[in-house]
Structure formats: C-alpha cells, structure tokens
Amino acid sequence: MSYNFNKIEADWQKYWAENQTFKASNNSDKPKYYVLDMFPYPSGAGLHVGHPLGYIASDIYSRYKRHKGFNVLHPQGYDSFGLPAEQYAIQTGQHPAVTTEQNIKRYREQLDKMGFSFDWSREVRTSDPDYYRWTQWIFIQLFESWYDEEAQKARAISQLEEIFSSNGNLQVRATCDEDVQEFSSEQWNAFSSEEKQEQLLKYRLTYLAETEVNWVPQLGTVLANDEIVNGVSERGGYPVVRKKMTQWSMRISAYAERLLQGLEQIDWTESLKESQRNWIGKSVGAMVTFHLHEETLKQVQGDEKIKSFGISVFTTRPDTIYGVTFMTLAPEHDLVLKITTSEQKEEVEAYVAASAKRSERERMADVKTISGVFTGAYAEHPFTKEPVPIWIGDYVLAGYGTGAVMAVPCGDQRDYDFAKHFAGQKGMPEIKNIFQDVDISEEAHSGKDGTIIANSGFLNGMPYKKALKAAIEELEKIGLGKGKINYRLRDAVFSRQRYWGEPFPVYYVNGMPQMIDEKYLPIRLPEVEKYLPTETGEPPLGNSSKWAWDRKKNKVVENEKIDHESVFPLELNTMPGWAGSSWYLFRYMDPLNEERFVSPEAQQYWENVDLYIGGSEHATGHLLYSRFWTKLLKDRGFLSVEEPFKKLINQGMILGQSAFVYRLEGENTFVSKNLTEGRKVQPIHADVSLVNFSDELDIKGFKKWRPEFKNAEFITEEDGTYVVGREVEKMSKSKYNVVNPDDICEDYGADTLRMYEMFLGPLEQAKPWNTAGITGVHNFLKKFWKLYHSSASREEEKFSVSEEKASADSLKTLHKTIKKVTEDIETFSFNTSVSTFMICVNELSAQKCNQREVLEPLAVLIAPYAPHIAEELWKRLGQNESVTTATYPVYEEKFLVESTKEYPISFNGKMRFTMELPLDLSKDEIQEAVMNDDRTNNQLSGSTPKKIIVVPGKIVNIVI
RNA sequence: GCUCGGAUGGUGGAAUUGGUAGACACGUUGGACUUAAAAUCCAAUGGGAAGAAAUUCCCGUGCGGGUUCAAGUCCCGCUCCGAGUACCA
C-alpha cells in the first residue's frame, strides 16, 4: 500500500478524539507546560492558510514537550463576541448567536483536519453565558477595587471606606479622578449614601464618567484608542469624531508603572515591548505652577480658584525654566476664555471655534502648519516674577499633561518654530537663550549631555542633571512645583453601544450605578427585535422590553415594572471585545468550575502561559489589557501570578499571491502579461484557483467564473497560453487570492500542509504563500514513507523494517538529525528542521537504510511535525500505544565523532581546494601536509607565502 | 520625524555567532521509464570568461568606506523596503 494520507489522517484524527489523547490533567507528577494560541474570532469566511501558521508552530512545540515528559496544557477556544456577526445580524436579522455557532462549527472542522493536539474538553467561548458570567464577575471586582499608590497595589473599596470614615481622604494616596474634593472624616460621615457613592466612584478601578470618546457614527459605537488607526476605525475604516459621553472606563493608568516594569520580567520580542513602552509613554519631569500676572489677575477678579492655583504645566525640562519665553495653552483649556483680554477676545474665540471644528484626522494630517493666537494675558515666572505672555495653539494637546506648556524655544523645536513664526508680533518676546556657548540662531538645542545652563540665576554653571534636580528642589521649597512622572497611557473606555457583547451586571438607582450580587450572575443578553440603536439613540439593548432589574426577586424583569423602588433600569451598554480575551488563559485551567473563574489549585498548578503565539497586531490592545487584569486579580488575591504570558512569539503574516489579468480599456479583451506593453490595459484580480503553477490562466474556467467574462476574448502568447501577472498582497476574499487549508489537506494531506507552512521561512517573518512549492514537502513525506516499506512492484508496497544492526553511516545520519532538530525546536526555527528531515531522508534512502534501530526513533522525531504519518508508522512498527506517549530520542555524541576533516585550503582568504586530513594532526603537521601538496605549489606558482594561518578543525589560509 | 525590524540566485530561504556563501526546496533544462500523458527516478543549474575535456580564472550577500590572515556576519556613513508610533511638552 502506498502513502494514503487521506485515510491515515482520518483514522488517526478519529483515534485521538476517541481516546482523548491530548486531554491534560490538573494532577500530575510531571512538570507542567502551558502552550497557548491567541484564540480566533470565528468569522464567516473560515480559515485560510495564513491562520494556522501559529497554531502549527505551537502544536509542534506542545507535542515536542509531551515527548520530553511534560504535562502539557494546549487548549483552544473562540473569541466569539464581536462586530462582524452583529453587522451581519443588522443586515439579515439573523441572531448573532446563530451565525456565530455556524462559524464555530466550520472552524472546528477545519482545525480538526489539521491534526492539532488541542484539549477540546477545555474549550471556551467568550459569548457563552457560563463564560461571560465570570467576565461580569471580574468587572465587579474592578468596581470593588481602588489603587493604593502607597502600597502599589489594588485594594478592596471597603477598606477605602474605612479609611474615609476614620481619616477622610487627605492622607490617601490613590489613583483617582482629577476633580476629587478633599474631605475630613467628619465630612465623609455626614455625607448621604448617594454622596458617598459619588465620591467612591472617583476611586474605583472601573468607573462611570463623562469622557471625551472616539465616536464612530457609522458603527454607532465608541471605540478605545487602540481600536483607532490613523484616525479611522480599525474595523471598517470609518471616520471617528470626538464626543463627550458618559461611559464606563478602566483605570488602567493606575497600573502604568507596573505594566512598564513588568516588561523586564517577560520574554517577549524587543519590538513588542517597545510598542508597549511607547504606548505607556513614561516621562519624568515636574509640575510647575505659574501664577497669573497682576494685570491679568484684575481681569479674572472674583475667581478665587484661578487666583490661587494659576496655571500648572508639566515639563520634562525644569532645568530650562529660566528659558521660558511664553506659555501655550491648548485651545480647549478651561482657562482660555477666562483670561483672554477684551482686546484679543474676538481673535481667540475665532481660533478656539476653528480648532474645535477640525477633526482629529485633519489636525494630525496637518502637523506642519503653525497656528496660534496671543490671549493678551500674562503669567508670572515662578523665580524671576517677570511677566510671561500666554498664547494658545493647537500644537498643545488638551489630553496630555495639563494641556498647557511652558514654552522654552531655545531647548524645544516646536516652541522654537512657534516663536519664530510669531516673532515680532505682540506678545512674542525675543527668544531667551539659557545654554552656555550654544548657538540657537538656526534651531533649538534639544541635547542634554554636556550642556551647561547659563542666564538662569541659581542654576548658572550647572550641567543638565544637576540643574534638573536643583530646579525641582527649589520649586518645591517655594511651593510652586514638584517632581512628577507623567504617562501617556489613558484610561480605557469600556462601554460599547452594541448588542453582541457581555452585558454589564449593573442597574441604576437615581442615576448611580449598582452592582448585581455575584450570586445572580450571569446576566444574560436579552432578546431584541432589532440590533440597531433605538429611535431615541440608545444602544441596541434599549430595544429589549425585558431589561430591568428586580432587586427583591433578584432577576431580570419587564421594563414596564420599573418603579425606581424595587425595579430599576439595567445598563444598556455592553462590554468591548477585549473584555473576554483579557482573562481567558485562566479559564482554560479550570473551564467547568461553577464556583470560581478558576480554582486556586488549578491556577497555582498551571501558573500562567509558558508560550503564547499570535499576531503582533495585539501589541497595545489585548496584550496590555490582559496584563492589567492579571495584575488586578493578583492584587485582590485571586491569582498567584503577576504576568499572564511568560514567553510570546509573534508569527508573521502569510501573504497571498494575487493573480492579474489585463483587460484592454473599454473592451472585453484580455491581453497576456508579456504582451501588455504599449497597450492601455486595466489589471483585474483573477481567482488564484484559475491559475496553474506556471502562471497560466485556465481560460475556460475564467469564462465561467463570472458572467461578464463569458464572451471575453483573449490575446495569448504564441503557444496559446494566457499568462497572468502576480503580486504579493494580504490574503483576502476581495482579492481572490485566498487559499483554503481544507483543499490542501484534501490534495496533499495535513502533514504536508503542516510541514510546508513551517518550511516557508522563519516563523516571525511575513512571507508569501506559493502553493507551487508544496510538492517538494509532499515528495519528502512519500520518500519518508518508502524508508519503511519495500516495493516488489509498483502497486505492492509492504511494510518492511529490518531488525539488523544499522550501519555507522545511518546512525550518524540519525543522530545528526536528532541534534539539529532538537536545537531547532528549542529555538523555534521550525523551517530549518524541515530541511534537516529532508537531508536525513535523502541520506537514509541513499544508504538503503531500513533498520528499526534508526527508523523507530526517527518516527518519534518527526511526530511533532507530521503526527499522522508518524502514528501510522509507529503502529506498523508494532507499537500498541500512540506515538505521543513515546519518549523523545536522545542524541549521542559517540555516533558523530569524526576522525578526519575536509579542510578548506584558502589563499588570501579565497578557498581554492579542500584536503581531507586527520583531525588529530597538530598545527605544524597540517601546515606540512598542505605545503607538500601539489595544488599548493600550483597556487603559489613559485612565490613564498608571507604567512600561513592554521586553525585546526576549521581552516587553513595562506597569505601570498 | 522618531523607534524597531529587514535587504543573500529566477523564487522561498540556509550559513555552526568571524572560517568552504547559496544547504534544503521550488522553478528551469536535459535524460530514463511509457504508445502517450501523469507519476517516479537520474543529472545539471549564482553570473561571466577560457578550454575538446578534466579543469582553470574573474565577479558576486542593497551602496560606499574601514577593521582582520579571513566579513553575508564586526565598526562607520548612506539608500531602499516593511512594521509600530505620531505635535507627548
């Protein structure tokens, strides 16, 4: 029997399923290893060959670890809440749960065909109420937590209440809203319970607040910053506008420092860590208060707050404070209209109005244009007490720092450009230079090293570092500033005005949010007629007639029962896509637990993910949020680990090879690629399945493909073929370049697909898919199969393995292969191990090796890569148990010991010939042997070498 | 602009961390088997020059320098491509 991969693969997939071969146990004496893939969103299009790349790599590693004696957890599930199913529901009325279910079924079929060693008994789906019950529960934990900056951890909100009632909030160092008012214990205790709730909300790690959000009208929802790319929505590419809305937010900013520091402890790629560092955006500097100047104070008479607080700015360069030439406020800054003089009023108001109208996108697109207006107002320099003119300009962002900057043109290029642009105008003084011996006539001096501060009072003569420290100390002394660390990381908006997501376990009493007791979770998604927003503009859940909470009966009841006494309205928003994916890794550890999201025993056994494989597009979204939730759950005592993913590898994208046909403009005639020159043609995507390996189009198939091509004419090459153009693009339906893994499995088998995907190139690298190359891998597997079989005739192939001793050459080949493949797996260089297998099989075939001594370990060695063929051969070798239970072969040095070496002999660094010499020769002996060789004399042609370098075991180089 | 990657035959990609550049595969060409095709097997294949031939020589890892007996690999300066980020004070 020849290599019948379809049958073999179906048989073994069935065997694995029936025997639960890959079921992981939570009790084992073996060391544990947890391998996780980023779970997929089950889209309607199914999987294409790009998706499994990471799954194949993680599967190889999982299988390898099992052979190495580890108890491996390798689960899979679905991120099944999400926008596409809901958009589809809006168009067709089909319930998202129904389409999601169908898509999952299709995904599962596709995944099963590829022979993955997933423990499906642990499958999770984020849209399953038994799962999102715990997402809701975690939300409640966030609500019941505050961040204690003293202890650098989250604590229970009840402890905060105790502190308030005994000491007020004056001594509390917590991460909270900016506008918290100060209160004593007496004041706190006198608050009504509603007032108390209102205050606590400013401390909770998830809170309801009116924030400026990214609103996408076309999607009818808000999105978080990481879901916006280049000013448009990541999904769909719709424009984003700024809008103030009351939304749930996550106080992730509390964890900024720990999220940053934690990166040092984990084994992720440097580029990924760098993305997170940039996103967190730590800058160390100082807050400085500029009081308003006398003249300006008169103007804001009566506003005591402004009078005493002035304008605060954040700066990373307090050492340059004497270089402050002016100040700039963001146009949205609260103070702008209050301090503007009547003279400047008209101009300022016009500017504010104009910049409010500009969208984020416009502002971003147009960075070069410098604009701004003088307010007519002046602040007072904290040290010199001199007046400092106050400007507004939209290069200052309202959302970062305080929305105001002290402008030091001599040290900051943007301030410099602004100053130069408005030089000579009213309110723009000469640029102050406070750097010793530095020329600033052309540009600002932003360097720090070696710079000496001058013209700066007490800072004169100090280098950067010293001046920085001295300035902050002095500011603190006079009470006008203090050292401060600022982060770019914003709190994350957590509400979505969508249907297909987790409902919040929240109802409202007098507008104040209340958590539903965890006993009554899950709060299930209600049924709705329509998935669009309501006529009054409320989120889709507003369409439900049964969406109210009965506090006495503790259940969801009809809206008409709302009386605000015992029945209250429920939250209409749902949670964002990243809610369920922020903690799913822990659920796999204990997926059926009905008491907890994960039991402490299961979690402490599996700890966290040892190896995580997925795409780099989640760098600042999912990967940051799940780190945040893990830290919170650890702080609150529910987890024993600080980080979710110890090691992370990003797999590169597999790109499609689009095919193009060239249509003569305005005609239905297509010109073959090599004849397009000089003709006006339009390239059109053709389906890649209509093109063969030699880029020739199946003309008949093309005519049938789409009705408009039925009568198409073709100008072909001389031999009658039509050649298409090729281009590498992202794989997508609309480009007709999608290659389906099912078809590959059908034609070549899953083992071929698995090995070919690995063979394409390094895991992390993006690479184009080219089906043509797959025959190489397929032929390799056929040759591999033949090693274990004898063929008397073409049809008759019998299993045939000899029990005799293998030759030294064969053992050497085997052990060389074991060594290389093991090293490659450990370093995730799967592409080179496939080549190594090919070399091995080529060598063993040439040696006519068929000894069990070699072929048995070889079957185990290849099992992680090509599990089906390995199982079949293992069985034929007479084994009763699955090959997955076999121990990994051990490489033995003794088989590789060489006695001679083929020395490259080079002249002036260029290799001219090789010489086989015993390895135990000394330097001098080697030199002698080389110098006595005729070929050496030939190369020298009479001259004497200047120098001879001999590196025993490596090379000989003769310098002439 | 900044940050991080990358550039090697017709193609995908190897190269023990300074030591035989192009492993392995695809493609191409030639051959064997076959009535024929497919499949399979064998051989050649970085570019160029000389030779009947074995063979010999020159050029070659994006570009320009450098270090070294020896550079795809290390150093300096550029070009191009990709990813992330974007007025972050």
Side-chain angles (χ1 to χ4, degrees):
Chain A
M1 221 190 83
S2 61
Y3 173 40
N4 184 352
F5 51 86
N6 291 125
K7 177 165 186 340
I8 293 171
E9 293 181 356
D11 285 353
W12 285 102
Q13 282 160 14
K14 195 167 157 236
Y15 174 94
W16 294 329
E18 282 172 358
N19 292 279
Q20 302 206 35
T21 309
F22 306 113
K23 198 173 155 90
S25 163
N26 280 6
N27 292 299
S28 170
D29 299 333
K30 295 178 185 173
K32 71 96 190 184
Y33 202 88
Y34 185 0
V35 182
L36 187 63
D37 297 297
M38 289 185 186
F39 62 171
Y41 173 78
S43 82
L47 293 167
H48 63 63
V49 290
H51 294 116
L53 183 73
Y55 304 158
I56 294 169
S58 63
D59 197 61
I60 289 170
Y61 204 75
S62 303
R63 287 173 177 271
Y64 168 72
K65 279 288 181 183
R66 286 193 197 97
H67 288 300
K68 280 284 193 183
F70 286 83
N71 183 28
V72 173
L73 176 57
H74 185 39
Q76 188 58 285
Y78 305 96
D79 190 12
S80 47
F81 272 135
L83 284 180
E86 183 164 352
Q87 292 296 80
Y88 190 73
I90 290 168
Q91 286 159 22
T92 64
Q94 178 93 275
H95 196 288
V98 175
T99 47
T100 301
E101 181 69 37
Q102 286 166 356
N103 294 347
I104 286 179
K105 221 176 137 214
R106 167 129 171 75
Y107 264 60
R108 178 63 190 274
E109 279 169 13
Q110 289 187 299
L111 290 170
D112 280 347
K113 276 193 190 154
M114 284 179 265
F116 292 125
S117 64
F118 293 129
D119 177 356
W120 283 110
S121 72
R122 293 173 185 256
E123 177 192 315
V124 302
R125 300 179 185 187
T126 55
S127 61
D128 182 345
D130 289 335
Y131 180 88
Y132 70 66
R133 165 186 186 179
W134 297 108
T135 311
Q136 292 172 337
W137 178 84
I138 294 171
F139 175 82
I140 296 173
Q141 304 316 308
L142 280 148
F143 186 79
E144 297 297 342
S145 303
W146 62 288
Y147 199 81
D148 183 347
E149 292 183 352
E150 205 85 52
Q152 272 296 310
K153 64 182 279 200
R155 296 171 63 188
I157 208 87
S158 58
Q159 292 177 350
L160 186 65
E161 285 178 87
E162 282 166 28
I163 295 171
F164 284 171
S165 74
S166 55
N167 295 313
N169 72 349
L170 299 171
Q171 269 127 54
V172 174
R173 273 185 57 211
T175 312
C176 57
D177 290 1
E178 305 241 306
D179 61 341
V180 286
Q181 43 180 286
E182 296 184 343
F183 49 78
S184 64
S185 58
E186 290 80 21
Q187 284 169 306
W188 169 261
N189 292 325
F191 282 160
S192 71
S193 91
E194 258 160 44
E195 281 170 320
K196 282 181 182 170
Q197 286 307 314
E198 212 173 302
Q199 293 305 321
L200 287 172
L201 202 48
K202 295 173 196 264
Y203 289 84
R204 297 179 189 274
L205 288 186
T206 184
Y207 59 97
L208 202 55
E210 184 169 75
T211 41
E212 198 151 90
V213 295
N214 306 302
W215 172 255
V216 185
Q218 273 88 340
L219 291 173
T221 188
V222 305
L223 292 177
N225 289 337
D226 63 274
E227 292 166 307
I228 311 293
V229 178
N230 294 330
V232 296
S233 67
E234 189 185 16
R235 291 215 177 199
Y238 301 113
V240 177
V241 296
R242 307 288 295 169
K243 193 175 173 183
K244 277 210 162 178
M245 284 176 79
T246 299
Q247 301 281 298
W248 285 102
S249 284
M250 289 281 160
R251 215 180 289 281
I252 188 173
S253 56
Y255 282 88
E257 187 61 32
R258 273 168 69 191
L259 288 168
L260 189 66
Q261 295 306 324
L263 291 171
E264 305 301 321
Q265 314 302 320
I266 49 184
D267 183 8
W268 293 12
T269 60
E270 202 41 46
S271 69
L272 202 91
K273 288 187 187 180
E274 199 58 30
S275 293
Q276 292 215 343
R277 281 190 202 111
N278 289 339
W279 194 259
I280 295 166
K282 180 179 183 174
S283 41
V284 181
M287 294 292 290
V288 183
T289 302
F290 283 73
H291 282 308
L292 294 178
H293 198 258
E294 260 178 87
E295 288 301 309
T296 302
L297 270 179
K298 281 184 199 153
Q299 163 129 8
V300 292
Q301 248 176 7
D303 199 329
E304 288 304 311
K305 214 171 158 186
I306 298 174
K307 204 172 163 184
S308 51
F309 288 106
I311 302 173
S312 48
V313 300
F314 174 73
T315 176
T316 53
R317 295 294 301 276
D319 57 309
T320 64
I321 193 157
Y322 280 88
V324 173
T325 305
F326 58 99
M327 297 182 79
T328 316
L329 308 186
E332 298 91 334
H333 199 284
D334 290 343
L335 245 50
V336 171
L337 296 177
K338 291 178 186 161
I339 59 170
T340 301
T341 59
S342 48
E343 204 180 321
Q344 295 297 107
K345 199 166 183 203
E346 209 175 310
E347 213 182 327
V348 167
E349 278 176 353
Y351 185 78
V352 170
S355 66
K357 249 200 276 175
R358 293 175 74 190
S359 70
E360 277 290 288
R361 214 175 172 191
E362 279 174 301
R363 250 170 107 158
M364 267 163 48
D366 166 46
V367 172
K368 295 260 144 58
T369 320
I370 295 165
S371 70
V373 182
F374 180 44
T375 61
Y378 289 87
E380 181 185 274
H381 192 279
F383 293 125
T384 65
K385 305 293 173 197
E386 279 170 18
V388 180
I390 303 171
W391 286 66
I392 59 173
D394 64 7
Y395 81 96
V396 177
L397 304 177
Y400 183 77
T402 60
V405 301
M406 55 176 229
V408 183
C410 66
D412 183 288
Q413 194 58 43
R414 285 157 310 168
D415 295 342
Y416 185 89
D417 294 340
F418 195 85
K420 284 279 174 185
H421 188 261
F422 294 106
Q425 291 193 22
K426 190 174 167 231
M428 185 54 69
E430 283 283 299
I431 294 174
K432 291 195 176 86
N433 185 359
I434 47 115
F435 300 120
Q436 194 173 301
D437 303 328
V438 167
D439 174 36
I440 55 149
S441 59
E442 290 298 321
E443 57 177 5
H445 173 75
S446 54
K448 299 167 186 170
D449 297 330
T451 310
I452 304 293
I453 306 292
N455 304 323
S456 293
F458 66 96
L459 299 172
N460 280 341
M462 292 185 191
Y464 157 74
K465 270 204 175 136
K466 203 173 163 199
L468 197 79
K469 216 173 139 221
I472 294 174
E473 271 169 22
E474 195 60 26
L475 282 166
E476 283 177 0
K477 209 189 282 174
I478 61 172
L480 288 179
K482 58 174 195 252
K484 160 115 187 173
I485 294 168
N486 213 28
Y487 299 93
R488 196 177 78 101
L489 183 70
R490 306 284 85 187
D491 283 347
V493 176
F494 196 68
S495 302
R496 295 292 181 274
Q497 292 68 46
R498 302 293 296 195
Y499 174 75
W500 192 230
E502 298 87 349
F504 285 84
V506 171
Y507 62 95
Y508 288 90
V509 177
N510 296 330
M512 286 307 292
Q514 311 291 323
M515 293 295 125
I516 291 170
D517 193 296
E518 60 180 77
K519 284 199 288 261
Y520 308 111
L521 300 181
I523 302 303
R524 287 164 189 270
L525 259 182
E527 294 303 318
V528 293
E529 292 285 314
K530 274 167 54 192
Y531 302 100
L532 285 168
T534 65
E535 276 158 23
T536 52
E538 284 178 323
L541 293 193
N543 289 319
S544 172
S545 56
K546 190 182 173 189
W547 196 237
W549 185 249
D550 187 325
R551 194 149 72 174
K552 288 210 180 96
K553 292 185 183 142
N554 285 307
K555 60 180 217 180
V556 176
V557 296
E558 286 74 17
N559 294 354
E560 62 234 30
K561 295 191 180 144
I562 293 173
D563 57 7
H564 297 284
E565 298 278 322
S566 62
V567 179
F568 302 92
L570 279 158
E571 168 74 53
L572 298 178
N573 289 297
T574 53
M575 297 187 199
W578 52 268
S581 61
S582 292
W583 70 279
Y584 75 116
L585 67 146
F586 295 110
R587 189 62 182 169
Y588 283 131
M589 297 172 177
D590 195 12
L592 302 175
N593 195 328
E594 292 186 2
E595 308 298 317
R596 283 180 72 123
F597 74 108
V598 58
S599 72
E601 297 75 30
Q603 190 272 314
Q604 279 160 35
Y605 176 70
W606 293 110
E607 294 178 327
N608 50 11
V609 175
D610 293 288
L611 174 64
Y612 196 35
I613 296 187
S616 57
E617 66 273 21
H618 299 107
T620 48
H622 162 60
L623 290 172
L624 202 58
Y625 295 129
S626 54
R627 292 183 64 217
F628 161 43
W629 280 26
T630 302
K631 286 174 194 301
L632 167 95
L633 290 166
K634 159 131 199 290
D635 286 353
R636 296 302 314 278
F638 300 114
L639 292 177
S640 70
V641 291
E642 177 82 17
E643 290 285 343
F645 313 112
K646 278 211 259 289
K647 180 176 176 66
L648 185 142
I649 296 178
N650 289 131
Q651 93 266 19
M653 205 187 323
I654 290 192
L655 302 161
Q657 280 227 4
S658 304
F660 289 92
V661 290
Y662 303 92
R663 183 165 64 188
L664 282 177
E665 227 160 74
E667 296 179 46
N668 203 8
T669 303
F670 293 85
V671 185
S672 184
K673 186 196 162 197
N674 303 319
L675 305 170
T676 50
E677 243 187 79
R679 291 182 156 117
K680 276 207 161 181
V681 290
Q682 228 178 350
I684 295 172
H685 278 103
D687 196 304
V688 288
S689 64
L690 297 169
V691 178
N692 71 6
F693 296 164
S694 314
D695 293 349
E696 291 159 4
L697 183 72
D698 168 6
I699 294 178
K700 266 193 198 160
F702 182 75
K703 284 184 169 181
K704 274 191 219 148
W705 180 43
R706 294 218 315 238
E708 69 253 46
F709 300 141
K710 199 177 158 198
N711 299 313
E713 304 279 329
F714 296 87
I715 299 176
T716 61
E717 307 285 325
E718 271 171 33
D719 60 358
T721 56
Y722 185 98
V723 176
V724 298
R726 288 284 199 173
E727 211 168 294
V728 173
E729 296 180 290
K730 217 170 153 169
M731 241 185 226
S732 97
K733 245 182 169 175
S734 63
K735 298 191 173 94
Y736 300 105
N737 60 1
V738 173
V739 181
N740 187 306
D742 305 6
D743 297 342
I744 306 279
C745 287
E746 186 60 35
D747 296 346
Y748 299 98
D751 287 340
T752 298
L753 175 70
R754 290 167 64 105
M755 290 197 95
Y756 184 56
E757 292 223 0
M758 293 297 102
F759 188 60
L760 280 176
L763 183 59
E764 295 94 329
Q765 199 174 299
K767 54 227 151 199
W769 176 266
N770 177 6
T771 309
I774 202 165
T775 53
V777 172
H778 190 63
N779 283 341
F780 153 74
L781 281 174
K782 283 200 239 174
K783 270 199 230 169
F784 177 70
W785 177 264
K786 275 190 189 158
L787 284 177
Y788 296 75
H789 295 81
S790 67
S791 46
S793 70
R794 190 161 296 169
E795 289 77 30
E796 292 231 1
E797 205 173 46
K798 262 177 58 198
F799 181 77
S800 154
V801 166
S802 151
E803 303 297 327
E804 285 163 29
K805 281 256 14 105
S807 70
D809 277 351
S810 297
L811 287 170
K812 188 172 151 191
T813 298
L814 173 70
H815 282 270
K816 197 172 70 180
T817 305
I818 297 172
K819 181 170 190 243
K820 179 80 169 101
V821 169
T822 310
E823 281 168 8
D824 285 346
I825 293 188
E826 296 282 358
T827 54
F828 305 95
S829 309
F830 302 110
N831 55 326
T832 48
S833 40
V834 177
S835 314
T836 306
F837 280 122
M838 288 174 170
I839 294 167
C840 173
V841 168
N842 288 345
E843 288 181 6
L844 293 179
S845 302
Q847 294 159 10
K848 303 222 176 345
C849 169
N850 71 338
Q851 282 81 21
R852 174 184 294 272
E853 194 183 0
V854 170
L855 297 185
E856 203 167 76
L858 189 60
V860 182
L861 199 63
I862 207 170
Y865 292 83
H868 308 88
I869 195 172
E871 289 276 25
E872 184 65 24
L873 294 171
W874 190 246
K875 192 175 117 189
R876 290 177 182 217
L877 283 160
Q879 303 286 350
N880 294 322
E881 282 204 76
S882 160
V883 72
T884 54
T885 61
T887 44
Y888 205 72
V890 179
Y891 140 75
E892 285 181 61
E893 187 78 48
K894 67 177 183 199
F895 295 110
L896 296 191
V897 178
E898 302 263 6
S899 58
T900 62
K901 155 91 188 167
E902 186 88 1
Y903 277 94
I905 313 300
S906 48
F907 293 80
N908 288 339
K910 285 184 187 112
M911 205 279 287
R912 288 304 177 211
F913 58 89
T914 58
M915 255 180 103
E916 187 162 332
L917 293 171
L919 266 168
D920 53 8
L921 288 192
S922 72
K923 260 191 177 183
D924 290 342
E925 286 167 322
I926 295 171
Q927 182 166 337
E928 202 193 324
V930 172
M931 292 314 288
N932 287 335
D933 197 283
D934 281 350
R935 291 171 295 183
T936 308
N937 288 327
N938 238 338
Q939 289 293 331
L940 291 174
S941 55
S943 52
T944 29
K946 286 188 193 135
K947 200 171 176 186
I948 301 170
I949 285 114
V950 178
V951 186
K954 283 221 161 134
I955 199 169
V956 177
N957 189 19
I958 298 163
V959 188
I960 310 173

